[in-house]
Amino acid sequence: MLSQEHITGHAATAIDEGGMLTMLVPALTILAVVLCGLFAAMRVKNKAPAFVTVALLAASFVAVLMTYLNLGVEKTWIAHGFDWINFSWSGSENRKLTTHALIANFSFYLDGLTILWMLFVTGLGTLIALYASEYMSHDVGAGYCRFFAAFSLFVFSMACLVMADNFLLLYLGWEGVGLCSYLLIGYFYKKPSAVAAAKKAFIVNRIGDLFLALGIMLIYTHFGSLEYTTVFAQTETYIEALKEGNLEVIPATVQLIPLLLMGGAFGKSAQLPLYVWLPDAMEGPTPVSALIHAATMVTAGVFLVARTYPLFLLSEHALPAVAWIGALTAFFSATIGMAQFDIKRIMAYSTVSQLGYMFCGLGVLTSVGGAFHVFTHAFFKAMLFLACGAVMHGFAGQLDLRKLSGVGFMRGWKVTTVAMLVGCLNLAGFPIITSGYWSKDMILGEAFANPHTQAIGWILLLTAGLTAYYTFRVFFRVFVGPVQYEMGDEHHGAHEDAHGHGEATHAPAHATHATPHAPGWAINTVLAVLAISAFAIIPFTYSHGGWVHTMIEGSTARYEGAAAYLGHGEHAHGTFLGFEAHGALMVVSGIVGAIGIVIAWWLHYAGRTTAATSRADALLPKLGPIPRWAQHKWYVDEFYDFLIVRPLWVLSNIFHFIDQYIVDGIVDLFGAAPSLTGKAVRPSQSGELHSYAAWMAGGMAVLILIVILVAT
Amino acid sequence: MSDLLTLAQSGYPAPIAGVTLAHYLFVSAAMFVLGLIGFLTRRNLIIMFLCTELMFQAAGIALVAFGRYHLNFHGQTFVIFILTVAAAEAAMALALVVLLFRRKESLNAEAWQDLKG
């Protein structure tokens, strides 16, 4: 069925002006930033910043929803905010007068893709801000304002990124989310590891951003415009040529653009080889991990590929590269995730892995599947992070799954446990009842349905099994089993007096860390809403993407039935071991997921009596050094350290030496010259009047002697 | 002009017999050297000051001699200026010597050796 649609394709979408309501989103979020700044200036010591942020983000969500309900997604709407950059100049090329223009307006490009992304960005933003109002309560005061200001600024930047109608505004948003990510990872700036993680995230992202910037420059030089409408109008003609099998008409420059954009996408979305920053980014507060490093910002790379999908279709190598790197990342990070003990890190590697899935979806030509997985993943991964965050919050920063057990059987942890279970089922792809199953299945099915991507399909299928295992490893270790726990050592900042928990059992400040405290209403509400919505989105989405499909088919991410790498527009049918791919995968992926869950159950739940040990411990030595290597993340960080960081460090030391001793030395020499001269001639100032007179007389005598000798 | 010069240098108005420019310059040089030696060897500030005066006047003699030699009044005019300046300078220098004496209770120039670089 899908293949049929691939061949028919879709006509270019009509473009119209409208959707000014969406201008409220940047306005409201910036207002939230300003208000949080004012609260900080007024030294507000309550939760006002949180509730202002929640209210304004909710209003943004309503604005997006209203726009969607009013305008629909059949047409693409351009909401013109204001003229931002508008240069024009003329020059001559080949003796012909040409006029150039650089136009980038603060305008929004509203198609299904934009609306889909904005719905979950603002929706989840609202929920997670509500969650954070409780989670960050230890820091009420300046830190609280700083957190919510950066949080709102993030949503603002994300809105610019997603809704931009030109590449420059997209780039602005792209850098903006990077900045907010940096600010929020380094939120606990007194902790060296958090600062290091923030810097790492920022620097690794710079590498990707360089590629994005180059890609955008190349787009401008080739297409002469940065506006989507102009660029995509030109790609239409190339796509028409592709449909007729004329691969040659596409210039090499155009084929290079998607590869550069891909570099940018892989930096932001933490794919090989630039994924290393995301696991470290878990140093940030958990709501940040949930919103930025799981649900929204890291999907910006996927968004970029989806947004510029017409460009990717034009290159022979771009989409296969996207798919392969996505698949390898998915598998690689899943193996690391299996061996970690820090539950937040496990979720981080899982995010990297699932982002790999999304890229695969785009790479194997099911942009609907990719977007669909982004959408479902945003919900269940945010939920998983928030549930882990609730545990971390309640157990004073304890994240080690060997030190926590049976949390679900303790008082007040029911909602968290149920949410965690729902999230785990979704991530593991439990059949039929989870949205994660449907989205993952769509990518898997399409990978097998294409004979060019069978190998990717197998990698993804294996990864699905690993995912189910490591997901339920967390669940079986931490949330069920014998009740046993060890508190973490996190003292919530220096604001002991401002400790915001109203529970009676927490009388002295330090005693609060001795006993776990169950999450309060804000965390529970958010978890419940997310758990319900993880189910509620199934009817919208099951069977080939459903609602998501309608969102994507009118957008730039639609698949046009011609991709350069298939060659001459052919789309042969692949199968899964001789069965029809989509149907077979529905069964097989379900079975693989279930096997993963059962293995996790057997290794980490059945017969387990303590938190620290499980049946898996007996098995591990038999695997030799592999588990240890996986636990050390395959030594990738060490490898990068050796290959890049060390040489750069040495180089910078050399430059530092040159600067300090040679460049500064020369400058200092000029400064030192008068002083040295002074030091040398100072003894002549003996203070004896007679010696001065003698010198003077002697000098005169010498002078006269010279005059006499010269004159005669 | 050259006639006049020859006349003057040969004795009009009649010079002291046998006394030439060289004699005046010799006296001037001798006075200057005496002053210089005095300045270099003595430690008493007042004596040293007087020695500078001696050198001053030696220069004055040379000027007058040259003026006479060239048959004009430039040298003598200069000497008038020098005498005026020397008088003013003598007043100031003696005042300074008095002040220096009050500080150190001594006229010895070596008492001021701490004014070194």
Side-chain angles (χ1 to χ4, degrees):
Chain A
M1 176 195 161
L2 268 185
S3 317
Q4 197 60 42
E5 283 166 10
H6 291 164
I7 290 157
T8 51
H10 299 279
T13 321
I15 293 174
D16 211 339
E17 294 230 350
M20 287 306 290
L21 203 55
T22 50
M23 282 292 158
L24 277 178
V25 177
L28 290 172
T29 45
I30 272 294
L31 180 64
V33 176
V34 171
L35 286 176
C36 286
L38 282 178
F39 285 136
M42 288 155 59
R43 300 178 192 287
V44 167
K45 287 258 192 300
N46 55 37
K47 290 190 177 180
F51 294 117
V52 164
T53 307
V54 172
L56 291 172
L57 291 184
S60 313
F61 173 70
V62 171
V64 177
L65 193 64
M66 295 273 285
T67 309
Y68 169 55
L69 295 177
N70 290 341
L71 302 181
V73 289
E74 289 79 30
K75 270 183 172 178
T76 294
W77 300 86
I78 301 275
H80 182 74
F82 56 88
D83 290 351
W84 183 34
I85 288 171
N86 189 345
F87 296 126
S88 62
W89 68 96
S90 44
S92 61
E93 269 169 33
N94 302 328
R95 296 184 185 174
K96 266 162 56 185
L97 191 69
T98 48
T99 312
H100 302 271
L102 176 64
I103 301 169
N105 293 328
F106 194 88
S107 302
F108 292 155
Y109 186 89
L110 305 171
D111 62 359
L113 188 68
T114 311
I115 300 285
L116 177 69
W117 240 267
M118 282 316 292
L119 280 175
F120 75 75
V121 167
T122 53
L124 284 173
T126 312
L127 287 173
I128 295 171
L130 181 62
Y131 174 99
S133 72
E134 180 181 332
Y135 188 89
M136 300 307 294
S137 57
H138 298 296
D139 270 4
V140 167
Y144 206 66
C145 298
R146 183 161 58 90
F147 178 86
F148 283 100
F151 197 93
S152 306
L153 188 63
F154 166 75
V155 180
F156 169 80
S157 307
M158 197 69 195
C160 290
L161 194 167
V162 172
M163 298 204 281
D165 91 325
N166 58 70
F167 285 99
L168 204 62
L169 188 56
L170 174 133
Y171 192 75
L172 178 81
W174 189 272
E175 295 298 322
V177 294
L179 169 70
C180 295
S181 165
Y182 168 78
L183 292 175
L184 288 166
I185 295 169
Y187 174 78
F188 298 114
Y189 59 87
K190 285 178 183 157
K191 206 168 138 196
S193 60
V195 175
K199 282 197 283 192
K200 187 173 179 182
F202 200 72
I203 292 167
V204 174
N205 266 301
R206 287 276 74 65
I207 300 170
D209 293 354
L210 172 68
F211 287 106
L212 176 63
L214 290 175
I216 291 174
M217 287 172 202
L218 213 53
I219 286 171
Y220 182 71
T221 55
H222 186 81
F223 295 103
S225 174
L226 288 174
E227 291 180 304
Y228 295 156
T229 43
T230 322
V231 174
F232 294 144
Q234 293 180 56
T235 58
E236 289 285 323
T237 52
Y238 287 130
I239 285 177
E240 290 308 315
L242 267 187
K243 281 181 182 165
E244 286 154 24
N246 299 330
L247 195 57
E248 314 79 56
V249 299
I250 298 162
T253 322
V254 176
Q255 300 225 17
L256 185 61
I257 292 170
L259 290 171
L260 289 170
L261 295 179
M262 184 178 84
F266 284 170
K268 193 63 87 196
S269 287
Q271 297 295 291
L272 283 174
L274 300 175
Y275 74 95
V276 288
W277 65 270
L278 186 57
D280 286 21
M282 297 302 130
E283 291 288 344
T286 308
V288 172
S289 308
L291 180 69
I292 301 185
H293 304 118
T296 56
M297 186 193 83
V298 289
T299 65
V302 184
F303 174 82
L304 179 70
V305 179
R307 172 57 84 215
T308 56
Y309 211 52
L311 287 165
F312 276 79
L313 293 173
L314 299 180
S315 166
E316 273 184 280
H317 307 294
L319 282 176
V322 167
W324 270 106
I325 293 179
L328 291 176
T329 310
F331 177 72
F332 187 75
S333 55
T335 58
I336 301 176
M338 284 168 71
Q340 300 299 307
F341 293 107
D342 179 321
I343 55 176
K344 243 180 111 179
R345 297 247 162 176
I346 295 172
M347 292 307 152
Y349 281 106
S350 155
T351 305
V352 176
S353 177
Q354 297 301 308
L355 287 165
Y357 261 95
M358 296 161 199
F359 278 112
C360 275
L362 296 166
V364 300
L365 299 176
T366 169
S367 50
V368 177
F372 185 15
H373 201 54
V374 169
F375 185 64
T376 57
H377 176 263
F379 284 92
F380 67 72
K381 186 50 71 64
M383 185 158 59
L384 285 168
F385 266 113
L386 296 181
C388 290
V391 172
M392 186 184 174
H393 185 71
F395 290 86
Q398 185 58 269
L399 284 169
D400 193 328
L401 56 73
R402 291 167 300 189
K403 292 179 180 164
L404 290 167
S405 175
V407 171
F409 301 124
M410 295 168 65
R411 258 195 66 173
W413 290 92
K414 289 282 174 296
V415 179
T416 312
T417 308
V418 170
M420 188 73 187
L421 180 60
V422 173
C424 287
L425 287 172
N426 271 284
L427 181 54
F430 193 80
I432 316 294
I433 59 159
T434 63
S435 53
Y437 164 75
W438 292 104
S439 56
K440 188 182 282 190
D441 181 62
M442 198 162 160
I443 296 169
L444 278 171
E446 194 61 23
F448 279 107
N450 185 335
H452 296 78
T453 54
Q454 291 274 331
I456 290 169
W458 283 107
I459 296 175
L460 291 185
L461 193 59
L462 180 58
T463 308
L466 302 181
T467 308
Y469 167 75
Y470 69 67
T471 313
F472 272 89
R473 175 169 169 257
V474 174
F475 185 77
F476 287 135
R477 288 296 285 258
V478 175
F479 288 87
V480 289
V483 178
Q484 211 176 44
Y485 63 85
E486 200 177 297
M487 297 301 288
D489 51 5
E490 191 167 285
H491 300 284
H492 293 288
H495 309 288
E496 290 291 358
D497 53 325
H499 202 279
H501 286 266
E503 290 168 53
T505 49
H506 299 164
H510 274 284
T512 54
H513 304 300
T515 49
H517 59 89
W521 70 269
I523 289 181
N524 280 335
T525 310
V526 171
L527 286 173
V529 169
L530 282 174
I532 291 164
S533 53
F535 287 113
I537 58 176
I538 299 175
F540 285 105
T541 53
Y542 85 105
S543 174
H544 303 311
W547 174 72
V548 177
H549 189 261
T550 62
M551 298 299 274
I552 298 300
E553 73 178 339
S555 77
T556 57
R558 66 185 175 276
Y559 176 56
E560 296 270 10
Y565 85 86
L566 294 177
H568 305 293
E570 284 171 27
H571 189 281
H573 285 271
T575 57
F576 178 75
L577 302 174
F579 297 96
E580 196 275 309
H582 281 278
L585 257 302
M586 276 193 180
V587 180
V588 173
S589 76
I591 292 171
V592 168
I595 290 172
I597 297 173
V598 169
I599 293 175
W601 174 79
W602 196 77
L603 287 178
H604 293 285
Y605 179 65
R608 186 165 63 84
T609 51
T610 62
T613 55
S614 72
R615 207 172 271 173
D617 296 339
L619 194 68
L620 288 180
K622 289 177 187 155
L623 293 171
I626 294 170
R628 198 179 70 241
W629 291 349
Q631 195 195 333
H632 286 98
K633 304 167 268 180
W634 303 114
Y635 296 98
V636 170
D637 278 337
E638 285 78 0
F639 177 67
Y640 283 176
D641 192 59
F642 173 75
L643 194 73
I644 298 163
V645 180
R646 286 286 134 194
L648 282 177
W649 189 81
V650 169
L651 202 64
S652 74
N653 269 329
I654 292 171
F655 285 146
H656 180 70
F657 178 84
I658 290 174
D659 180 56
Q660 193 163 30
Y661 293 100
I662 297 181
V663 178
D664 281 9
I666 290 169
V667 175
D668 285 352
L669 201 64
F670 284 104
S675 139
L676 284 173
T677 315
K679 201 172 265 181
V681 301
R682 205 166 63 188
S684 67
Q685 297 283 312
S686 61
E688 293 164 26
L689 197 52
H690 294 94
S691 87
Y692 301 158
W695 277 107
M696 207 165 96
M700 282 302 285
V702 171
L703 208 64
I704 290 165
L705 204 64
I706 291 170
V707 169
I708 291 169
L709 285 177
V710 171
T712 52
Chain B
M1 185 68 195
S2 66
D3 294 345
L4 208 62
L5 258 177
T6 322
L7 184 69
Q9 285 158 8
S10 63
Y12 176 82
I16 304 165
V19 179
T20 60
L21 176 66
H23 294 94
Y24 289 102
L25 289 183
F26 179 79
V27 172
S28 163
M31 258 174 83
F32 187 87
V33 170
L34 280 175
L36 187 63
I37 290 169
F39 189 85
L40 289 176
T41 53
R42 303 300 291 270
R43 295 287 178 270
N44 187 309
L45 283 172
I46 294 173
I47 302 293
M48 285 167 76
F49 172 66
L50 288 176
C51 289
T52 60
E53 287 298 316
L54 202 57
M55 288 188 276
F56 237 146
Q57 301 319 316
I61 289 174
L63 281 170
V64 173
F66 275 115
R68 178 66 185 80
Y69 181 72
H70 290 292
L71 281 189
N72 58 30
F73 297 103
H74 296 175
Q76 293 188 37
T77 320
F78 257 119
V79 170
I80 298 295
F81 277 110
I82 286 173
L83 287 176
T84 320
V85 169
E89 178 240 318
M92 218 157 65
L94 282 172
L96 274 171
V97 169
V98 170
L99 283 175
L100 291 172
F101 179 78
R102 281 188 190 162
R103 291 243 168 166
K104 298 271 181 183
E105 292 291 323
S106 162
L107 282 174
N108 191 344
E110 282 174 356
W112 297 92
Q113 251 183 17
D114 51 346
L115 287 176
K116 63 183 175 196

